[in-house]
Amino acid sequence: MTNKIKISNGRLEVPDRVIIPFIEGDGIGPEITRATQKIVDEALRVSYNGQRSISWFEVLAGEKAFTKTGEWLPQATLDSFNEYIVGIKGPLTTPVGGGIRSLNVALRQTLDLYVCMRPVRWFKGVPSPIRYPSRVDMHIFRENTEDIYAGIEFMTGTPDAEKFKKLLEENFGIENVRFPESSSFGIKPISKEGSERLIRAAIKFAIDRNLPSVTLVHKGNIMKFTEGAFKNWGYDLAEHEFGNKVFTWKQYETISKEKGKEAAQEAKNQAEKEGKVILKDVITDAFLQESLLRPYDYSVIATMNLNGDYISDQLAAMVGGIGISPGANINYQSGFAIFEATHGTAPNIAGTGKANPSSLLLSAAMMLEYMNWNKAAEHIYDALEHTFNKRKVTADLFSLMEGAQLVSTEEFASEVISNIH
């Protein structure tokens, strides 16, 4: 009998025969979705001898939904994700000329999937622009509902922009807008609640997996009351909720002032020996440099939406690009989660067999881990690495690899399946 995932006492209860709703996506979506499902099905068969399986249940969004229903994101799709708790999706086209600003953003905000989680690791055989890609092993926790995703903007020349300009001038005495008559305006809300639940999830993730550090990445030196507050709320949360499980940079600075740097460093070293998570913070532009030069210094990253967008793409490029970068949108309080390909729809290669399914496949492996079906996820990671090592790759990686063999999307999937042992 096939059943639904349930939440009990804050934990997922996953039946052995489970329904997973999926959106195949636009452009290359159908191709990479078919490939991913074949590989996942085989990994489950090998891992659990047929005792566990997924019944894939298609729900509609994007161009296919609009063609069939006249809606880009039908209510039935949202209802299905609510009902089945965990789902997966391919890339979606953003409607042009009005309507929903972004289907991806709409899904995340409607279901309150406040964490965009992006693990970044290197697979042997994948070309990288950096010298030691094996040292890159990070997990990005990007806030998924606030900041620029709130979508509060006023276009220059509109009545709303004029009202907002007058509000600033007449009520707040703001006079440092350089060209007020031709300026557009944007607002980035950063809340205490939104920041705390993201940072809480990141710290708990690090503790549960014995990871060494959590880094708060922010631009608080300039935006003191939004990004600066994010950093401060993070330190306060760590001290109040996690106590002796963490050692914060604020504690380091306090000890350094009172007893000197040697004592502070000794306290930090002792905390690391005891397995405490080190909580630190870095200015965004400095992080983008430091993560290239010393990626081994960073493990879990907690940051706001826009910063997380930049960081996710840079780190993905360090290990081969977003074509092999997975992602998930998760509410760690409710348990709801949608796993997704992190790249676009690539309509120019749709139907040509050139698409790389690795991003969606790795997202599916993340989904299996989230369901605590870890053995199947490990089979996928191992088989994918074997395939890359054999240099049998799709067009995106073929152009970067010497001595590689070009294969189609379907052939790539078959090769990964043959490497599941």
Side-chain angles (χ1 to χ4, degrees):
M1 181 179 178
T2 304
N3 294 305
K4 304 170 187 175
I5 294 174
K6 296 179 181 178
I7 303 290
S8 178
N9 297 320
R11 299 179 67 87
L12 290 185
E13 289 186 355
V14 183
D16 287 340
R17 313 290 184 191
V18 65
I19 299 171
I20 297 294
F22 74 94
I23 299 169
E24 68 173 9
D26 300 321
I28 60 173
E31 298 163 79
I32 63 174
T33 295
R34 286 193 299 270
T36 293
Q37 290 176 350
K38 286 180 183 178
I39 296 167
V40 170
D41 288 344
E42 179 63 12
L44 291 172
R45 187 191 68 79
V46 171
S47 300
Y48 305 113
N49 297 315
Q51 293 179 0
R52 288 179 175 176
S53 64
I54 289 174
S55 177
W56 301 101
F57 169 51
E58 184 176 8
V59 295
L60 300 178
E63 291 179 345
K64 189 173 184 179
F66 189 74
T67 300
K68 289 191 172 186
T69 71
E71 297 179 273
W72 290 94
L73 183 59
Q75 183 60 43
T77 296
L78 296 172
D79 292 343
S80 292
F81 283 124
N82 264 309
E83 183 178 358
Y84 294 102
I85 311 295
V86 173
I88 190 167
K89 59 174 281 296
L92 291 173
T93 299
T94 295
V96 176
I100 296 174
R101 219 174 150 196
S102 164
L103 292 172
N104 293 321
V105 174
L107 277 168
R108 293 164 187 168
Q109 292 195 329
T110 302
L111 297 170
D112 196 24
L113 305 175
Y114 62 87
V115 171
C116 179
M117 215 278 262
R118 299 275 185 91
V120 183
R121 58 166 284 190
W122 180 66
F123 289 91
K124 288 180 183 178
V126 176
S128 167
I130 64 174
R131 189 172 183 182
Y132 300 114
S134 60
R135 295 178 177 178
V136 180
D137 188 6
M138 302 184 210
H139 299 82
I140 304 160
F141 279 66
R142 171 191 177 197
E143 206 291 320
N144 222 7
T145 63
E146 299 189 322
D147 197 3
I148 62 167
Y149 265 17
I152 304 171
E153 290 187 293
F154 306 106
M155 179 65 189
T156 182
T158 64
D160 285 344
E162 183 62 26
K163 287 179 192 175
F164 188 73
K165 179 173 73 71
K166 286 184 177 179
L167 176 72
L168 294 177
E169 292 171 347
E170 296 174 6
N171 291 271
F172 298 100
I174 303 295
E175 297 179 350
N176 59 347
V177 178
R178 184 59 58 88
F179 303 107
E181 300 306 321
S182 62
S183 290
S184 292
F185 299 94
I187 302 174
K188 53 178 292 168
I190 305 290
S191 72
K192 187 173 188 285
E193 292 86 351
S195 299
E196 285 183 339
R197 66 181 185 172
L198 176 91
I199 296 165
R200 182 182 295 112
I203 295 174
K204 190 174 185 305
F205 184 90
I207 291 171
D208 290 346
R209 289 158 182 77
N210 296 314
L211 298 174
S213 68
V214 174
T215 304
L216 308 175
V217 182
H218 62 93
K219 194 65 179 170
N221 57 328
I222 302 297
M223 291 174 278
K224 300 182 186 299
F225 305 134
T226 50
E227 305 215 2
F230 174 88
K231 176 196 75 170
N232 294 333
W233 291 327
Y235 280 128
D236 291 343
L237 172 91
E239 292 173 5
H240 294 148
E241 293 191 15
F242 293 95
N244 61 5
K245 293 182 180 180
V246 299
F247 180 84
T248 71
W249 195 247
K250 278 182 71 177
Q251 290 173 287
Y252 180 94
E253 290 180 329
T254 299
I255 297 170
S256 182
K257 288 177 182 176
E258 294 176 355
K259 300 180 180 179
K261 286 188 177 180
E262 285 188 13
Q265 187 60 44
E266 191 175 313
K268 178 175 176 288
N269 293 342
Q270 182 60 34
E272 290 173 337
K273 287 179 184 178
E274 294 172 1
K276 293 182 180 181
V277 172
I278 306 301
L279 181 68
K280 52 190 174 179
D281 72 277
V282 179
I283 302 297
T284 306
D285 45 321
F287 176 82
L288 292 172
Q289 173 184 254
E290 293 299 315
S291 58
L292 278 168
L293 298 175
R294 289 189 290 276
Y296 44 81
D297 282 346
Y298 301 101
S299 180
V300 178
I301 312 303
T303 190
M304 289 142 291
N305 188 271
L306 184 57
N307 294 333
D309 204 3
Y310 301 146
I311 290 166
S312 296
D313 281 9
Q314 176 183 292
L315 296 184
M318 290 162 61
V319 294
I322 59 172
I324 56 171
S325 173
N329 305 287
I330 302 172
N331 184 316
Y332 282 97
Q333 296 168 339
S334 68
F336 289 106
I338 299 178
F339 298 79
E340 65 178 355
T342 59
H343 52 70
T345 59
N348 58 314
I349 62 168
T352 65
K354 293 181 179 180
N356 184 347
S358 297
S359 174
L360 189 61
L361 176 59
L362 288 169
S363 299
M366 285 178 69
M367 181 182 74
L368 294 173
E369 290 176 321
Y370 187 70
M371 293 159 53
N372 205 29
W373 290 8
N374 297 309
K375 189 174 181 181
E378 285 302 321
H379 272 305
I380 291 172
Y381 294 136
D382 182 64
L384 198 56
E385 191 157 64
H386 271 78
T387 304
F388 290 142
N389 267 322
K390 290 180 179 179
R391 296 178 176 268
K392 293 184 177 181
V393 294
T394 48
D396 56 334
L397 294 178
F398 176 75
S399 62
L400 303 174
M401 280 187 181
E402 292 183 8
Q405 178 183 339
L406 178 63
V407 295
S408 68
T409 308
E410 190 173 340
E411 290 168 338
F412 182 83
S414 296
E415 185 63 30
V416 174
I417 287 171
S418 72
N419 288 319
I420 296 176
H421 305 298

